[in-house]
Amino acid sequence: MNSTAVKPVFDIAEIRAQFPILKELVHGKPLVYFDNAATSQKPRRVIKAESSYYATINANVHRGVHTLSTKATEAQEAARETIRKHINAKHAHEVIFTSGTTASLNLAAFSLGQLLLKKGDEVLISGMEHHANIVPWQLACERHGAVLKVIPVTDSGELEIRRSDDQMIRQFTERTKIFAISHVSNTLGTINPIKGLIAEARKRGIITVVDGAQAIAHLNVDVQDLGCDLYAFSGHKAYGPTGTGVLYGREELLERMPPWQGGGEMIDVVTFEKTTFAKLPFKFEAGTPHIAGIIGLGEAIRWMEDYDKAAMAAHEHLLLEHATKELLTIDGLRIIGTAKEKVGVISFVIEGVHHYDLGTLLDQQGIAVRTGHHCTQPLMDRFGVSGTTRASFACFNTVEEIDSMIAATKKAVKMLR
Ligand code: 7TS
């Protein structure tokens, strides 16, 4: 989409210069932003794309014949095409805009529940899911009398996938109708082997839903190669604006799925007796979308595409390895999540130190980390902890920033013990 050639070298200084927020001081200290799994920071191009929509073409989409409405519609639909290409969907109408992963997964659970679930059927998830990939399925199961089943998590923070001769995972049963799984765990950083699992599920006619919230900014996501039916992600974790998200769906399935929300733009004909629905993707896009945000998201994807995602991932992996090695020099520190395949997310607990106190002291040094259960309470129970401190890296982070986090953590531990 973008005429700029892919930049061959990963130039961290050049990347950092594009993020205005990195010049901010927090408590008088340079900001060290390690909370990218919660939301990533935004490059100037994304901020500009969003504000120039408001400044120059602000109008509602798919509604008017006037010039601004046409321009706004074209800009929004160009973003849809950018995203289609980025995730290698077959059709642009397989890309549905939502307000984020949470909305995408609620849409999936509501609609698939209506379509597929009967009393006694099963929905399979895993023990490392974010609440957004647990609660919507619980609600759907309650509505339809279905049962929620859970793949356990090992001590290293990987899926416990039991192998037997003819069955890759025993948790798939005759009653399993839906398999909903995270591509990457937000708390552990584990990259799940979803391609093989999806293939096994599909052999059994099970519909597959992937929570890609933590994958989209770090891995190459090819929905056709993965073979999933639905794939959900948020724009704001991939250098895009908050309030934006995507639900990719395979055309044949989306055609069969009933709408989630009713309202303007999702209809064909409305009478008081009966309503018929618009074609894809509009059937699932009731109301005025976050037009500026969607345009910003398109720009964020084009921005990422100007770089080599593999080089970004390699840089983040280097940060992960350095942080892991250095954190382990701290007495009484335990890393939660030691899978072989991880993105740049590192959760840890320290004996005698509460994560909240540590997070507060790090903040005083300008270092932003997340503390708490990370919306994965069942996973915290699995590891017997009430919460962790989590550092999550993005392409603009540096080894020096990690060294300042380690030094600040050591200092904090001395104060807190
Ligand atoms: N799924 C996963 C795996 C996530 O990490 C998150 C957000 C969501 C779903 C929900 O995304 P949203 O954009 O709709 O909120 N995770 C986090 C986090 O780890 N810290 O803050 C939000």
Side-chain angles (χ1 to χ4, degrees), residues 17-283:
Q18 297 185 56
F19 288 81
I21 208 163
L22 297 179
K23 296 198 174 64
E24 290 295 307
L25 299 180
V26 173
H27 299 298
K29 307 268 173 15
L31 168 67
V32 172
Y33 188 76
F34 284 159
D35 199 15
N36 294 284
T39 196
S40 64
Q41 296 301 348
K42 323 301 172 201
R44 196 171 284 108
R45 252 172 73 178
V46 170
I47 300 167
K48 197 166 159 235
E50 202 175 348
S51 67
S52 72
Y53 157 78
Y54 285 124
T56 62
I57 59 167
N58 177 53
N60 214 327
V61 288
H62 293 293
R63 277 155 171 92
V65 291
H66 64 81
T67 302
L68 290 190
S69 176
T70 308
K71 282 189 175 172
T73 303
E74 281 168 4
Q76 176 179 288
E77 294 311 310
R80 201 188 302 273
E81 173 58 19
T82 298
I83 293 159
R84 181 204 69 75
K85 259 178 69 186
H86 190 76
I87 61 172
N88 193 31
K90 229 190 227 168
H91 310 288
H93 59 248
E94 294 178 321
V95 173
I96 296 160
F97 290 127
T98 68
S99 62
T101 309
T102 302
S104 297
L105 291 170
N106 275 276
L107 189 173
F110 179 88
S111 182
L112 286 179
Q114 297 275 102
L115 182 69
L116 299 172
L117 294 181
K118 303 264 177 315
K119 197 168 183 333
D121 283 343
E122 292 169 9
V123 174
L124 181 63
I125 62 170
S126 92
M128 66 174 81
E129 299 309 308
H130 185 280
H131 296 163
N133 203 29
I134 302 174
V135 184
W137 300 112
Q138 264 172 347
L139 294 172
C141 285
E142 274 168 25
R143 273 195 299 273
H144 302 284
V147 183
L148 191 69
K149 292 282 180 88
V150 183
I151 302 177
V153 173
T154 65
D155 289 344
S156 61
E158 289 162 291
L159 296 176
E160 193 182 291
I161 304 165
R162 301 188 198 108
R163 283 169 187 277
S164 64
D165 287 347
D166 59 349
Q167 211 178 12
M168 186 168 167
I169 68 169
R170 241 182 264 158
Q171 284 92 347
F172 287 146
T173 74
E174 306 256 288
R175 298 303 306 261
T176 313
K177 290 289 184 301
I178 300 165
F179 175 46
I181 185 80
S182 48
H183 199 165
V184 171
S185 157
N186 66 314
T187 300
L188 308 168
T190 311
I191 303 173
N192 287 320
I194 60 166
K195 191 174 167 184
L197 295 174
I198 289 167
E200 289 300 317
R202 289 195 76 175
K203 265 194 228 160
R204 295 165 174 80
I206 298 165
I207 295 297
T208 54
V209 182
V210 181
D211 173 353
Q214 297 295 341
I216 193 71
H218 309 289
L219 306 177
N220 282 315
V221 173
D222 180 331
V223 290
Q224 292 190 70
D225 181 56
L226 287 173
C228 56
D229 292 298
L230 301 179
Y231 192 101
F233 64 90
S234 301
H236 70 96
K237 295 187 200 285
Y239 307 105
T242 52
T244 62
V246 165
L247 181 67
Y248 155 81
R250 229 168 18 85
E251 181 186 46
E252 299 80 6
L253 180 64
L254 290 179
E255 291 287 6
R256 289 196 289 131
M257 285 166 60
W260 175 42
Q261 293 181 321
E265 279 308 292
M266 52 79 72
I267 54 88
D268 178 23
V269 177
V270 179
T271 66
F272 286 120
E273 288 69 41
K274 186 174 169 56
T275 294
T276 53
F277 303 116
K279 57 184 180 12
L280 294 174
F282 308 112
K283 180 171 89 172

